Amino acid sequence: MYLYGASGHALVIIDIIEAMGLSVEYLFDDNPEIHELRGIPVSHEYHQEEPLILSIGNNSIRKQLAEKMKNVTFGKAIHPASIISPHATIAEGTVVMPGAIINSGTIIGKHCIVNTSASVDHECRIDDYAHISPNVTLCGNVHIGEGAWIGAGTTVIPGIKIGKWAVIGAGSVVLRDIPDGVVAYGNPCKIKSKLFE
């Protein structure tokens, strides 16, 4: 396995890959100051190596890189200490961290992050490039839009839709739909600002 991005997020993905019984051969990173990460060499020139995972926490940068990389086979990193229904679907490039639970009928898109101990209940849909932070609870039939970031410890009640590229602050309780491109937080969660129209 190969990783693009030699950051703290990559450290967690390396642990997941090793827990899967695989190894990371080397990493790519644009920062010329980084030559190794946890003893694994870092190259500053990207060669098309497969399977590849984009080990970058920023949703927008992950999308930009994925769209530039044509004809690349992306891997998945799913920690064996996660619980995944055999009736859930997880697309390429996605990372599922230890303790995460993904229940039946859930569909998770490309290059998502389902972080430590997140709970994703039945029939949820998480679109490409979204990040579900540690200890988030998504109740049944929740839809998370492309690139949305759900902050740590947030609870989303059943049937809610959170828009594309929305940011939900940590510890929020989401009781109503959230539109695209806003920052919202609180209990109950309320829109605080707009990121874009």
Side-chain angles (χ1 to χ4, degrees), residues 23-124:
S23 63
V24 175
E25 299 301 317
Y26 55 90
L27 301 93
F28 305 101
D29 199 280
D30 298 332
N31 184 346
E33 303 297 316
I34 303 172
H35 301 288
E36 61 88 27
L37 186 70
R38 221 185 69 193
I40 301 169
V42 175
S43 173
H44 304 112
E45 293 182 16
Y46 171 67
H47 327 276
Q48 189 165 319
E49 299 286 1
E50 300 171 349
L52 178 72
I53 292 177
L54 299 174
S55 51
I56 294 170
N58 183 296
N59 297 351
S60 178
I61 294 172
R62 228 170 32 256
K63 179 178 181 178
Q64 290 169 25
L65 286 170
E67 290 181 344
K68 285 181 187 175
M69 295 178 174
K70 305 297 182 191
N71 304 314
V72 173
T73 299
F74 290 102
K76 297 179 207 175
I78 300 175
H79 199 285
S82 60
I83 299 171
I84 312 243
S85 167
H87 305 290
T89 303
I90 300 173
E92 66 179 19
T94 288
V95 175
V96 179
M97 304 210 177
I101 300 171
I102 299 171
N103 279 315
S104 187
T106 290
I107 299 171
I108 300 178
K110 298 182 291 185
H111 306 286
C112 293
I113 301 168
V114 181
N115 220 311
T116 308
S117 297
S119 176
V120 181
D121 219 311
H122 63 88
E123 301 170 288
C124 286

Side-chain angles (χ1 to χ4, degrees), residues 119-121 124 126 132 136-140 142 144 150 154-156:
S119 176
V120 181
D121 219 311
C124 286
I126 300 172
I132 310 303
V136 165
T137 299
L138 302 182
C139 295
V142 167
I144 305 296
I150 313 303
T154 291
T155 298
V156 184

